[in-house]
Amino acid sequence: AVERARERLTDAARRGTPFLLVLGTSGSGKSSLARAGLLPRLMQPGAVPGVDLWRCCVVRPGEGDTPLHAMARALYAADALPELALGDNPAPTELATLLAAAPESGARAVRLALGRATVAVAAKESFDRPVEARLLLMVDQFEETLTTPDARDGVARALTALIGTGVVWVVATLRSDLYGPFQASA
């Protein structure tokens, strides 16, 4: 299942839309498949040809004032993309506001922060070529974005903009019993 998920996500990336939705019933292991299986597998050297550096961010949309605040806070984490604090939006609340008001600008800030991480790795490890980096963003319990139409639409716009950068890959888990309402709300 992990390898099948990796193949589907890399195929989606080749088509320009690196997004994978993992569906399953409550308690079926969606989060485990993604967190303990797919994410570590993707981050192994050589798992995705041409990618030298992976950063990983796991977010639970319900763990913030809004799903976008939860996402921004998770992105700034030390084990995700702390280089965000070195840019124009030094605090997660600023990035959350930017992702809500101007998703493409928020996505640009993420892309630039990943670029700063790439430069640091290239210098530290003496790469003699450009370093390719990707951010793997996992939205665990995606159904938590369905709380209000504004929350759902804001997250959808932000994820679309992030995926559009070409450097952010998204994996989301969703309870299958909520897939119908999820589709109806789109």
Side-chain angles (χ1 to χ4, degrees), residues 112-186:
L112 291 173
L114 190 59
R116 287 189 289 278
T118 302
V119 168
V121 167
K124 180 181 175 185
E125 297 186 18
S126 302
F127 273 75
D128 59 353
R129 60 177 174 73
V131 175
E132 283 295 319
R134 299 293 180 271
L135 172 67
L136 183 55
L137 175 61
M138 181 189 166
V139 183
D140 196 10
Q141 298 189 20
F142 197 65
E143 60 268 12
E144 292 177 352
T145 67
L146 300 174
T147 55
T148 67
D150 287 343
R152 179 199 65 229
D153 294 348
V155 170
R157 285 191 301 273
L159 291 178
T160 299
L162 288 166
I163 290 168
T165 65
V167 297
V168 179
W169 292 24
V170 177
V171 175
T173 64
L174 178 69
R175 285 186 6 222
S176 55
D177 62 310
L178 295 174
Y179 187 62
F182 173 73
Q183 280 187 306
S185 68

Side-chain angles (χ1 to χ4, degrees), residues 17-177:
T17 311
F19 178 83
L20 178 69
L21 183 62
V22 179
L23 290 171
T25 59
S26 181
S28 65
K30 301 174 298 296
S31 296
S32 295
L33 171 80
R35 285 182 188 233
L38 180 59
L39 274 59
R41 172 68 179 104
L42 278 171
M43 296 177 76
Q44 288 177 347
V48 179
V51 178
D52 303 303
L53 170 68
W54 282 97
R55 289 295 181 87
C56 186
C57 174
V58 177
V59 60
R60 287 269 317 269
E63 292 181 347
D65 296 338
T66 69
L68 287 177
H69 281 98
M71 184 185 305
R73 194 170 43 252
L75 283 165
Y76 276 75
D79 59 346
L81 198 56
E83 292 83 359
L84 277 164
L86 304 174
D88 294 336
N89 304 291
T93 55
E94 293 170 351
L95 180 62
T97 301
L98 190 60
L99 284 169
E104 290 78 17
S105 295
R108 181 176 180 272
V110 170
R111 184 178 50 79
L112 291 173
L114 190 59
R116 287 189 289 278
T118 302
V119 168
V121 167
K124 180 181 175 185
E125 297 186 18
S126 302
F127 273 75
D128 59 353
R129 60 177 174 73
V131 175
E132 283 295 319
R134 299 293 180 271
L135 172 67
L136 183 55
L137 175 61
M138 181 189 166
V139 183
D140 196 10
Q141 298 189 20
F142 197 65
E143 60 268 12
E144 292 177 352
T145 67
L146 300 174
T147 55
T148 67
D150 287 343
R152 179 199 65 229
D153 294 348
V155 170
R157 285 191 301 273
L159 291 178
T160 299
L162 288 166
I163 290 168
T165 65
V167 297
V168 179
W169 292 24
V170 177
V171 175
T173 64
L174 178 69
R175 285 186 6 222
S176 55
D177 62 310

